[in-house]
Amino acid sequence: MHRVAVLAYDGVVPFDLSVPIEVFGRAQLADGRPAYEVRVCASADEVRAGPMAIRARSDLGWAADADTIVVPGVADLDEPVPAAVVDLLRAAKGRLVSICTGTFVLAAAGVLDGHRATTHWAATAELARLHPAVDVDPDVLYVDEGTVLTSAGAAAGLDLCLHVVRHDHGAAVAAETARRCVMPLERAGGQAQFIAHEPPLPAGHSLQPLLDWLAENLSAPLTLADIAGRAAMSPRSLSRHFRQQTGTAPMRWLNRQRVRRAQQLLERTDTPVERIGGLVGFTSATAFRECFRQVVGVSPRAYRRAFVPDMAAGGVGST
């Protein structure tokens, strides 16, 4: 039987600890046998987990022989990672899976160097700063790099664990596991994290007034020349300064913000999908669908269905 070790150490997030226990613990094969043997493996006799203290039945010795090691999130990113946990992860022969800020633990062990990874949207910038050898993707729910998998915050850990079940045991077992956990079958891994607001650049940057103006005029049919005129620059100079300060081109930045606004409308209103593209500045339904899928990873309709199942089931909009 596939052995899953869920690590527990000081500062572990209780919710993140429970996610793999629930998903892997509820997975059953077609004949009713458990699909996994799941154990919590602690780095000490007793570890702190939010308002609780945990005394696990297994230690890191059992985890060393596990087929999958799950690393839950840590509440304090400055909490030192126990040396025994680092040694375990570096020597692991099986699959490594992190939930939320558990990515920082994997990164501290060096096992993410050269790999694409994600974490909670609020911590992606810090992950990139602390671990420049990691290719941080801030826009997805989870990343599957084969032997090492990472997820974004909170519920994205459920999606990743269910993805693992599907990989190990097929779609039928994954569907039954989702039913037992009372959760959707799975959101696409390339789908953007739902809380996707990107903070503006700090005050004082020369383009900040322009970015504020763009954010207030997403629905306007703006061209590069329009934006350059507003900034009192040539299109070429604007593009250069824009890329220096935001890392992307003006129209790409604008369309990304339009998609972010569309996400909010899809989540919070019952506005028909085909109207939302026009409300956020896209000139055609096709352009809206294509840009939305590029940024988010799924179609606008699929995004609404994942976020508000009842609304989508009611037939609101179409794309």
Side-chain angles (χ1 to χ4, degrees):
M1 184 187 301
H2 191 113
R3 292 154 57 104
V4 176
V6 183
L7 302 190
Y9 35 79
D10 279 339
V12 69
V13 177
F15 179 83
D16 294 354
L17 184 73
S18 68
V19 164
I21 296 171
E22 282 295 294
V23 176
F24 295 122
R26 291 180 181 272
Q28 292 185 358
L29 303 178
D31 59 7
R33 291 182 296 115
Y36 302 94
E37 180 183 0
V38 184
R39 292 194 192 183
V40 175
C41 300
S43 61
D45 291 341
E46 183 174 287
V47 298
R48 293 179 287 103
M52 304 179 294
I54 295 177
R55 296 180 64 87
R57 294 181 178 179
S58 300
D59 59 18
L60 298 185
W62 193 88
D65 296 322
D67 301 291
T68 296
I69 298 176
V70 183
V71 183
V74 60
D76 182 359
L77 298 182
D78 294 325
E79 183 92 32
V81 180
V85 172
V86 171
D87 292 342
L88 168 69
L89 296 175
R90 288 176 176 172
K93 297 180 176 61
R95 179 172 53 196
L96 300 176
V97 175
S98 71
I99 308 296
C100 193
T101 53
T103 305
F104 283 81
V105 179
L106 292 182
V111 299
L112 289 180
D113 289 357
H115 287 281
R116 179 167 157 260
T118 194
T119 189
H120 191 286
W121 64 270
T124 52
E126 182 68 0
L127 179 64
R129 185 186 71 83
L130 291 175
H131 303 283
V134 179
D135 179 11
V136 179
D137 189 336
D139 289 330
V140 296
L141 292 178
Y142 59 83
V143 173
D144 182 347
E145 287 280 279
T147 58
V148 59
L149 301 89
T150 55
S151 77
L158 291 165
D159 298 301
L160 177 54
C161 289
L162 199 60
H163 168 77
V164 169
V165 173
R166 174 184 287 171
H167 175 274
D168 291 345
H169 300 292
V173 171
E176 179 61 18
T177 302
R179 189 185 70 80
R180 290 176 178 274
C181 293
V182 195
M183 60 177 288
L185 178 55
E186 181 192 353
R187 293 177 291 173
Q191 184 170 319
Q193 300 183 34
F194 286 133
I195 303 176
H197 175 68
E198 297 172 351
L201 294 172
H205 283 247
S206 61
L207 288 182
Q208 190 56 53
L210 178 65
L211 298 183
D212 292 340
W213 179 79
L214 289 172
E216 293 170 358
N217 292 274
L218 296 179
S219 61
L222 298 172
T223 65
L224 179 60
D226 295 330
I227 301 172
R230 176 73 184 189
M233 298 181 186
S234 69
R236 183 174 180 179
S237 294
L238 172 68
S239 296
R240 184 177 68 254
H241 287 288
F242 215 96
R243 187 170 294 279
Q244 288 173 345
Q245 294 192 27
T246 69
T248 190
M251 295 307 297
R252 184 179 294 273
W253 186 93
L254 177 61
N255 283 338
R256 191 178 187 86
Q257 300 310 307
R258 285 169 168 164
V259 168
R260 295 311 190 204
R261 177 56 182 155
Q263 286 180 276
Q264 295 175 10
L265 294 174
L266 288 166
E267 295 168 15
R268 301 174 184 174
T269 76
D270 60 359
T271 304
V273 173
E274 64 270 17
R275 284 194 56 206
I276 288 178
L279 291 175
V280 299
F282 289 97
T283 57
S284 73
T286 299
F288 173 48
R289 286 196 302 269
E290 291 179 352
C291 190
F292 193 97
R293 186 179 290 277
Q294 288 175 0
V295 174
V296 183
V298 296
S299 70
R301 187 176 181 85
Y303 185 87
R304 171 171 273 171
R305 183 166 58 245
F307 198 87
V308 192
D310 292 341
M311 187 181 297
V316 179
S318 62
T319 59

